[in-house]
Amino acid sequence: MTAQTLYDKLWDSHVVHVEQDGTALIYIDRHLVHEVTSPQAYEGLRLAGRKPWRVDSIVATADHNTPTRNWDKGIDGITDPISRVQVETLDANIKAFGAKVYFPFLDRRQGIVHVIGPEQGATLPGMTVVCGDSHTSTHGAFGCLAFGIGTSEVEHVLATQCMVMKKSKTMQIVVDGELGTGVTGKDIVLAVIGRIGSGGGTGYAIEFAGSAIRGLSMEGRMTVCNMAIEAGARTGLVAVDDTTIGYLGDRPFSPHRAMWDRAVAYWRTLTSDDGACFDRVVTFRAEEIKPQVTWGTNPQMVTTVDGRVPDPAQEKDPVQREWMERALKYMDLKPNTPITEIRLDKIFIGACTNSRIDDLRLAAQVVKDRRVASNIKLAMVVPGSGLVKAQAEQEGLDRIFTAAGFEWREPGCSMCLGMNEDQLSPGERCASTSNRNFEGRQGPGGRTHLVSPAMAAAAAIAGHFVDVRTFG
Amino acid sequence: MEKFVRKEGLVAPLDRANVDTDAIIPKQFLKSIKRTGFGPNLFDEWRYRDHGEPGQDCAKRPLNPDFVLNQERYRGATVLLARENFGCGSSREHAPWALLQYGFQAVIAPGFADIFYNNSLKNGLLLIKLDATIVDRLFREAQPAPGYRLAVDLEAQTVTTPGGESFTFDIDPFRKHCILNGLDDIGLTLEHADKIRAFETVHRERQPWLFD
Ligand code: SF4
């Protein structure tokens, strides 16, 4: 048999039907549903008189609109009436159509959909996982085929349990070597996007490999796969190994005892075979990756913490130059400014990129026994889920953050996209552990710099960016 | 979904690379539980001078005169000319809904983000990928020529300029068939219901834990 990539194996094991031109029906094992991209899909089902094909594939939660404060007020804590309708619509749809499990607003297991899937063991190796959200690529960290879909596709999966798609090309990104202290999965993936560009992975499924990737925790791998979409790839993957299997041991929806050994034996096959061919291979040395900071309005506009804001005048391509100039104008930055001289107004530690327990531990280590700088108007930590929050509180991380002057909030997407009231005001500058720095993403006129949790924490203390590697 | 026949329309050039879906339709409009009403908020932050919120009367809002779609000569445009990596970012299908509801029927660019591409075709918004050099040429032709129109023929897979020059584009035959005939994907897939059931049986034997 010819050597196969992990992507090939996952694809082959889910093909229901293939047309002559290669268009395939791919079976979907797990469908994650949230309140923003599902209402029109359920409405579509209703209008057509259809039912979900397989209710027990559905895991649902409300995360985008939910407030991170005032949970004691219950549903009245959602002050925006339109947001509230969306959350209530999800409630009603799940009630009407059913789900394997639903973590509604206020449930102690509620959280960002990409945090709770893995945390519950609802994301397993070998699955196909979809969600009406582009950061579904996160789940690929478990050696499953996971990708974001639009609302019509949500409806299609609800009604048929399948996706109509064509096979992607494959790209292997190899990061070998050992990461320096203070350098994390976030820095790896930002460096990757900086190199291949935000459209570099378009049309590809990216497998992240190499000793530095294997050395990451599951949380770190999820961070890397989360941002595969920021490189244009709908799917990010990491092969299964002991770290994957160790993580899944005691999760509520992991296979139970009788099945466990059989499942693990299967999961162990979920790696790319030696000699498997990729359409493109890009290699990195882990030692060369430094803490990253974005300076522009696209994740590709990134540099190292010891670098400077680039000068568009040096750019030869006129379209690129124009784009850089626009970005610098929006970000209110001058060419050649050292990154460490950029002063901040707000700090956001959260989002499906970096709101898991590992992320919070790394940030807490940096802020312990220190104070947030006086120029920082707001520094907040938003755990990815209720269970992450509870775990962090058990470890005393909440007290480390609040003693330093951070706010400790309830879980949700929060200021990653500001659909609730957590937003930047026009002109405010934020160090954020989220994944998108687009114009207006965190609030109209807001300016976002993407960094790792440790870098965000250090920036909170210093009031400007600092190199976390030397921030003693 | 409406059938797509041969269409000829006014071109609006949006000369920016990497236009993301947050820019196409900002997040506050995603709170709607409906599929319609997004047209007035297409490119909201670029198009208006004030901050937009759902439910406003957009006719009363101050326009940004510098934004291309606000120029009189582009009123009624149905073809959007764009740059590299159009539609990157969030998977929100509200982006193609907003473009369609504004009046666009086709977008021409050197490249589109994957999720946006699927979302658009599913809604009958035709995305046409042409070589960057050709797109660049179209920009240079369109900008100095008020009333510049392009003809899009999906059947023949061509874009034709006023000068009569034609460029062919690629499109997946299945998608083409669906758009030409306004077909519902779900209905087509359900024709394979037996195959889906048969697959499930085998899949369950192989990985029973997925069905617990
Ligand atoms: S945290 Fe941000 S990126 Fe992640 S699902 Fe929520 S809004 Fe999307």
Side-chain angles (χ1 to χ4, degrees):
Chain A
M1 226 175 76
T2 51
Q4 284 192 303
T5 64
L6 172 55
Y7 177 76
D8 292 331
K9 293 180 186 180
L10 293 168
W11 176 273
D12 287 354
S13 62
H14 289 88
V15 174
V16 172
H17 172 77
V18 201
E19 301 282 347
Q20 259 176 358
D21 71 347
T23 306
L25 273 187
I26 293 297
Y27 188 81
I28 302 302
D29 296 307
R30 177 65 69 231
H31 190 179
L32 304 164
V33 170
H34 67 86
E35 81 277 21
V36 180
T37 52
S38 67
Q40 295 89 349
Y42 281 112
E43 186 195 41
L45 278 194
R46 228 177 245 120
L47 288 173
R50 292 180 173 130
K51 289 212 159 37
W53 181 282
R54 208 182 122 206
V55 169
D56 70 0
S57 69
I58 299 169
V59 172
T61 195
D63 53 5
H64 284 65
N65 279 282
T66 54
T68 57
R69 278 194 287 209
N70 300 329
W71 276 31
D72 50 328
K73 293 192 183 138
I75 189 85
D76 292 334
I78 309 182
T79 47
D80 178 349
I82 319 179
S83 288
R84 180 171 164 162
V85 167
Q86 210 166 47
V87 171
E88 289 173 336
T89 304
L90 179 65
D91 274 341
N93 282 330
I94 297 299
K95 205 174 210 174
F97 291 99
K100 178 185 179 74
V101 60
Y102 175 39
F103 306 115
F105 173 46
L106 303 174
D107 189 284
R108 65 178 191 86
R109 296 160 301 171
Q110 177 266 358
I112 306 171
V113 66
H114 308 308
V115 175
I116 64 171
E119 174 176 273
Q120 293 290 331
T123 300
L124 295 172
M127 277 183 162
T128 42
V129 178
V130 297
C131 175
D133 188 282
S134 55
H135 292 102
T136 311
S137 57
T138 311
H139 305 260
F142 288 83
C144 58
L145 182 56
F147 41 86
I149 59 180
T151 296
S152 294
E153 291 173 317
V154 170
E155 184 183 340
H156 192 277
V157 174
L158 282 172
T160 70
Q161 211 58 40
C162 290
M163 282 282 298
V164 179
M165 57 195 311
K166 273 198 166 169
K167 212 167 163 180
S168 305
K169 290 177 285 182
T170 52
M171 188 187 302
Q172 187 186 38
I173 290 183
V174 185
V175 191
D176 270 324
E178 229 175 288
L179 285 176
T181 333
V183 184
T184 65
K186 183 64 161 286
D187 303 300
I188 294 181
V189 72
L190 284 171
V192 167
I193 298 164
R195 166 107 63 99
I196 72 172
S198 59
T202 304
Y204 288 91
I206 297 182
E207 180 175 342
F208 296 94
S211 55
I213 300 291
R214 283 197 299 279
L216 293 174
S217 64
M218 284 317 292
E219 285 85 350
R221 295 176 188 186
M222 283 190 258
T223 303
V224 171
C225 289
N226 177 274
M227 291 193 73
I229 186 67
E230 293 342 309
R234 232 175 150 178
T235 298
L237 286 166
V238 177
V240 173
D241 62 8
D242 290 340
T243 307
T244 326
I245 291 163
Y247 179 97
L248 290 168
D250 293 317
R251 307 279 157 181
F253 296 102
S254 284
H256 45 71
R257 282 196 157 278
M259 281 298 170
W260 176 256
D261 290 344
R262 205 176 141 193
V264 169
Y266 177 69
W267 296 345
R268 294 244 180 236
T269 67
L270 299 173
T271 59
S272 287
D273 297 333
D274 288 340
C277 263
F278 292 84
D279 296 296
R280 190 177 165 197
V281 178
V282 188
T283 56
F284 289 80
R285 282 305 307 176
E287 293 79 5
E288 289 166 9
I289 298 176
K290 297 176 184 176
Q292 307 279 310
V293 180
T294 65
W295 52 266
T297 53
N298 180 291
Q300 164 188 342
M301 295 171 150
V302 66
T303 187
T304 54
V305 65
D306 56 1
R308 289 167 185 269
V309 173
D311 186 352
Q314 307 292 319
E315 174 61 55
K316 289 189 191 74
D317 177 2
V319 176
Q320 290 291 322
R321 191 183 328 129
E322 216 271 325
W323 185 44
M324 287 170 75
E325 281 164 357
R326 270 187 59 85
L328 289 188
K329 185 161 172 242
Y330 182 86
M331 293 297 288
D332 190 29
L333 288 173
K334 301 232 154 21
N336 302 313
T337 308
I339 294 297
T340 49
E341 281 177 19
I342 299 174
R343 291 176 73 76
L344 298 148
D345 304 305
K346 287 186 174 167
I347 308 291
F348 172 60
I349 298 178
C352 56
T353 328
N354 284 123
S355 61
R356 298 178 183 82
I357 191 69
D358 240 34
D359 301 313
L360 304 192
R361 284 180 191 140
L362 285 172
Q365 249 173 39
V366 176
V367 305
K368 194 166 173 23
D369 302 325
R370 288 168 155 159
R371 287 288 303 169
V372 169
S374 57
N375 60 303
I376 302 292
K377 293 185 221 162
L378 171 71
M380 63 197 264
V381 182
V382 183
S385 71
L387 295 183
V388 169
K389 182 171 186 246
Q391 169 79 28
E393 287 173 357
Q394 207 187 333
E395 296 178 17
L397 304 184
D398 59 324
R399 291 188 297 282
I400 294 177
F401 285 117
T402 50
F406 276 84
E407 292 192 15
W408 179 251
R409 299 287 187 91
E410 303 291 349
C413 293
S414 180
M415 207 159 69
C416 172
L417 92 167
M419 265 186 96
N420 66 3
E421 46 284 297
D422 305 337
Q423 292 194 5
L424 295 182
S425 301
E428 278 180 344
R429 191 181 292 285
C430 180
S432 175
T433 66
S434 55
N435 42 36
R436 286 192 174 135
N437 51 352
F438 298 151
E439 285 186 22
R441 171 78 178 181
Q442 295 191 287
R447 300 178 176 127
T448 304
H449 296 272
L450 304 176
V451 287
S452 74
M455 283 287 291
I461 305 301
H464 54 87
F465 287 115
V466 282
D467 190 338
V468 69
R469 296 172 300 176
T470 50
F471 189 61
Chain B
M1 187 166 99
E2 232 180 282
K3 292 186 188 185
F4 194 106
V5 279
R6 189 174 184 282
K7 285 179 180 168
E8 196 257 345
L10 184 68
V11 175
L14 182 66
D15 199 355
R16 300 180 187 200
N18 298 291
V19 170
D20 56 76
T21 53
D22 277 73
I24 298 175
I25 182 89
K27 64 202 155 241
Q28 60 270 33
F29 305 105
L30 273 50
K31 293 178 186 179
S32 167
I33 56 168
K34 296 202 283 280
R35 239 175 223 272
T36 51
F38 300 104
N41 301 109
L42 174 70
F43 299 122
D44 199 273
E45 283 181 18
W46 294 343
R47 201 163 139 200
Y48 301 99
R49 281 220 160 121
D50 63 345
H51 171 66
E53 279 298 327
Q56 274 169 324
D57 179 1
C58 290
K60 300 203 177 110
R61 296 175 57 197
L63 293 174
N64 168 10
D66 296 335
F67 184 57
V68 56
L69 295 187
N70 290 333
Q71 295 170 27
E72 190 52 38
R73 59 180 282 202
Y74 298 121
R75 180 180 299 229
T78 57
V79 178
L80 186 67
L81 195 55
R83 295 284 189 185
E84 193 53 64
N85 203 22
F86 187 83
C88 59
S90 146
S91 63
R92 56 191 69 168
E93 200 159 313
H94 312 66
W97 293 338
L99 285 160
L100 277 166
Q101 289 160 18
Y102 177 88
F104 286 113
Q105 297 172 330
V107 185
I108 300 174
F112 300 94
D114 285 343
I115 303 179
F116 176 76
Y117 189 83
N118 280 318
N119 286 344
S120 297
L121 294 198
K122 279 194 184 260
N123 287 278
L125 176 66
L126 184 60
L127 301 188
I128 298 171
K129 195 174 154 178
L130 292 178
D131 226 52
T133 49
I134 298 174
V135 172
D136 205 46
R137 239 173 72 203
L138 295 177
F139 266 100
R140 273 181 285 130
E141 276 189 24
Q143 272 153 345
Y148 186 87
R149 300 170 81 84
L150 286 170
V152 176
D153 187 334
L154 177 55
E155 185 75 66
Q157 297 178 214
T158 56
V159 173
T160 308
T161 67
E165 211 179 347
S166 264
F167 305 102
T168 53
F169 59 89
D170 276 338
I171 182 167
D172 174 303
F174 173 73
R175 288 272 152 243
K176 176 177 171 181
H177 175 72
C178 289
I179 298 182
L180 277 175
N181 298 294
L183 292 180
D184 163 17
D185 261 24
I186 296 180
L188 287 175
T189 299
L190 286 175
E191 287 175 14
H192 297 292
D194 288 346
K195 281 195 179 150
I196 303 173
R197 271 186 219 105
F199 175 86
E200 267 177 338
T201 310
V202 177
H203 198 47
R204 188 193 292 264
E205 277 163 21
R206 266 193 315 227
Q207 300 184 60
W209 55 89
L210 296 182
F211 290 81
D212 274 352

